[in-house]
Amino acid sequence: MEEQPTITAAGSDSSALETVETIFRIESPRIIAGVARIVRDVGIAEELAQDALVAALEQWPRDGVPDNPGAWLTATAKHRAIDLVRRRERYARKLEEVGRDLSLSAPHHVDEPSDPDDIDDDLLRLVFTACHPVLSAEARIALTLRLLGGLTTAEIARAYLTSEATVAQRIVRAKRTLAAKGVAFEVPYGPEREARLGSVLEIIYLVFNEGYAATAGDDLLRPALCEDALRLARVLAELMPKEPEVHALAALLELQASRTPARTSPSGEPVLLRDQNRRRWNRMLIRRGFTALGRANAVAAGRPGPYALQAAIAACHAQAYAYEDTDWGQIVTLYGLLAARTPSPVVELNRAVAVSMAEGPGPALEIVDALAGEPALRDYHLLPSVRGDLLARLGRTEQARAEFERAAALARNERERELLAGRARELGGAGA
C-alpha cells in the first residue's frame, strides 16, 4: 500500500477529513517507527499505519476529532500490530503442537541488544533500517522519504525528476528486500554503523531540506520534517562524538533552522534572504550551530567535509547582522572548496549566486549559462530563477521576465510559484 487512501462519504465533515490527513502526514513517521519495533517489518508497519488512517477517516467525521489525534492514530496502529503478533504466536504454537521446529520465536521476542552504545529511538532505528546496504542508494532515499518524511510517491518523483511508477517500484522492492533478508530493526554497532553513516547523514539532510523548502503543496515549510531531522542529527552527534561530519550536519541544520521564523510572512508568502528581519532569527539555534561547527572542526584535523563546508557557508550568513554585511568573498571561496570535494550542478549554481554578490552579475551569468545544458537542471526551477535575477540586475528586463515566467511554470510549490510569477509581473511586458 503506497499512497494514503482517500475516503469520501455522504454527509462527511470535510474539516474532520482534512484534519485526519494533516495529522497523519505529520505523525506517520513516528507511527510507522513505533509499529515497526513491534512487527519488525517496515512494510507491514506502513500498512498497519494506513489501516489506522482508514479507521480515523471512518470514525472522526462521525464521532469528532479526539483531543490527541496523533496519540489516537498511534494507539490504533499499535493495537493492530499487537493483534497481528498474537495471531502469529497462536499459529506458531499450533505448529509446535504438531512437532514443527520453530527455533526462531515470534518477532517481538527478539531481545534488544545490550550494547552500551544502543540508543532507544524508534525513528533512528527506522532511518538505519531504511538505509541498509542491501538496498540501492536510490531505494534508500525513496524508502526513507516515504517512511520518515511522509512524502507521496508523486512528491518523491518530482524531487528526483523521475516517474511515479519508478519510485513506487523502488519502494515496493525495498520493503520486500528488507523482509526477505531479515534485516533487523535496530541501530547497528561498530564498523557496520560507521559504514552506513554516510547514507544516514544524506537521508537526514534530504528530509530536513524537504521540510525547509517543500517540493510541492501549498506551504513553503513543513516544520515537523525539519524538527525530526534536526533531532536525529543531534542524537547522532551525541552517539558519535568523534565523527566530524555528524557534528557538521548538526551545525548546518541548526544554522539553517534558525532562519525559519523569518522565512515566511504572516500569511505564508516566502521572504527572500535579503529581505528577512534578522532579529527574528533564532539566536539559540545559531549558538548551537556554532558550537556544533566548532566540534566538527576540532575533530576534522583541518580536512573539512562537505557538510562542514556547507555549515561554514551558513555561518557566514549567521554572522552578518545585515544582508549588506555578508562576507560574499568568503562564501565564494567555500563554494569553490565544496565544488572540488563534491562536484554538482546545484553547488555550481549556488556558487554563481555568491559570485554575483561578490563580483557582479556579469561573471555569475557566465557560470549560469554554462549550466544550461546540465540534464539534472533541465526542470529545476531555480536555474531560470537565478538567471532571471542576474538578467534583471544587468538591465535585460524582457529576458529576465521570460526567465521568471519559465521558473514559475516549473515550480511545484504553490508559494514559490506565486513568488516567481510576482517577480515576472514586476518586470512588466506583454505577459504581465
Side-chain angles (χ1 to χ4, degrees):
M1 190 179 298
E2 289 308 317
E3 297 298 338
Q4 298 173 12
T6 300
I7 295 179
T8 57
S12 296
D13 183 346
S14 60
S15 64
L17 293 175
E18 184 177 348
T19 298
V20 175
E21 296 186 356
T22 300
I23 293 298
F24 184 81
R25 192 175 182 95
I26 294 171
E27 297 292 337
S28 62
R30 295 181 182 86
I31 298 170
I32 294 169
V35 172
R37 190 173 189 180
I38 298 172
V39 300
R40 302 286 169 162
D41 185 304
V42 295
I44 293 174
E46 186 182 19
E47 291 179 5
L48 292 171
Q50 297 280 9
D51 287 346
L53 172 61
V54 171
L57 287 168
E58 293 173 345
Q59 295 180 37
W60 291 7
R62 181 188 68 227
D63 303 333
V65 178
D67 292 337
N68 191 333
W72 189 99
L73 287 166
T74 300
T76 301
K78 285 188 174 181
H79 287 156
R80 292 172 187 249
I82 292 169
D83 288 343
L84 175 62
V85 171
R86 284 173 177 166
R87 289 196 298 272
R88 288 175 174 175
E89 287 179 333
R90 286 196 295 269
Y91 178 67
R93 284 197 296 271
K94 289 179 180 179
L95 290 180
E96 288 177 337
E97 289 171 3
V98 296
R100 292 291 184 90
D101 180 16
L102 289 180
S103 58
L104 296 176
S105 59
H108 80 299
H109 285 163
V110 177
D111 293 331
E112 291 294 329
S114 57
D115 190 293
D117 281 342
D118 184 33
I119 185 160
D120 187 20
D121 190 292
D122 287 339
L123 278 176
L124 196 58
R125 286 186 176 93
L126 183 60
V127 175
F128 268 98
T129 301
C131 294
H132 198 280
V134 298
L135 305 177
S136 68
E138 294 83 359
R140 295 176 210 169
I141 292 172
L143 183 61
T144 306
L145 289 176
R146 172 66 180 158
L147 297 180
L148 187 75
L151 274 67
T152 65
T153 55
E155 289 170 337
I156 298 171
R158 281 194 292 268
Y160 287 91
L161 306 180
T162 188
S163 69
E164 292 183 42
T166 298
V167 171
Q169 190 175 57
R170 285 175 185 169
I171 293 171
V172 169
R173 287 179 176 174
K175 290 189 288 190
R176 287 176 180 169
T177 300
L178 291 175
K181 298 290 185 180
V183 172
F185 186 68
E186 64 182 11
V187 178
Y189 302 92
E192 185 182 359
R193 177 185 290 172
E194 295 177 8
R196 287 162 60 182
L197 180 61
S199 179
V200 170
L201 294 180
E202 179 185 11
I203 294 302
I204 293 174
Y205 182 54
L206 289 170
V207 172
F208 179 88
N209 277 347
E210 181 58 34
Y212 191 73
T215 302
D218 296 331
D219 298 317
L220 179 70
L221 308 178
R222 295 176 62 187
L225 289 184
C226 291
E227 291 168 6
D228 279 338
L230 190 50
R231 184 176 65 83
L232 289 170
R234 291 168 180 167
V235 167
L236 275 181
E238 292 297 321
L239 182 65
M240 308 177 117
K242 296 182 181 180
E243 290 288 342
E245 281 291 81
V246 173
H247 292 296
L249 177 63
L252 174 60
L253 302 194
E254 300 277 11
L255 292 168
Q256 294 287 79
S258 72
R259 305 179 202 165
T260 299
R263 293 188 63 235
T264 54
S265 69
S267 55
E269 288 87 1
V271 179
L272 298 177
L273 180 63
R274 65 170 177 251
D275 300 323
Q276 289 175 18
N277 180 356
R278 300 193 175 206
R279 287 174 293 184
R280 298 188 63 202
W281 287 7
N282 189 315
R283 309 312 298 183
M284 182 190 72
L285 292 182
I286 290 174
R287 287 193 295 271
R288 292 183 67 118
F290 277 108
T291 299
L293 183 56
R295 290 171 180 163
N297 292 335
V299 294
R303 293 178 55 84
Y307 292 117
L309 291 169
Q310 291 179 75
I313 292 168
C316 287
H317 292 294
Q319 286 174 321
Y321 288 102
Y323 185 76
E324 295 73 21
D325 299 331
T326 306
D327 188 347
W328 291 106
Q330 177 65 8
I331 292 176
V332 170
T333 299
L334 290 168
Y335 268 123
L337 294 172
L338 182 60
R341 289 293 302 271
T342 55
S344 159
V346 174
V347 170
E348 195 68 3
L349 182 62
N350 281 299
R351 188 175 74 86
V353 174
V355 167
S356 77
M357 301 305 298
E359 304 174 20
L365 185 60
E366 294 178 9
I367 299 172
V368 172
D369 286 345
L371 296 171
E374 287 286 346
L377 300 181
R378 183 176 296 121
D379 296 321
Y380 189 49
H381 67 285
L382 293 184
L383 178 62
S385 172
V386 170
R387 192 168 189 274
D389 185 70
L390 297 176
L391 290 169
R393 289 165 59 187
L394 288 168
R396 294 158 63 176
T397 304
E398 186 64 21
Q399 291 174 287
R401 182 186 58 77
E403 290 295 308
F404 281 124
E405 289 178 345
R406 177 168 171 260
L410 290 173
R412 301 296 183 182
N413 183 280
E414 186 62 30
R415 296 295 187 177
E416 284 189 301
R417 186 184 299 116
E418 291 172 358
L419 174 68
L420 293 165
R423 293 292 304 275
R425 287 193 297 272
E426 290 171 4
L427 293 171

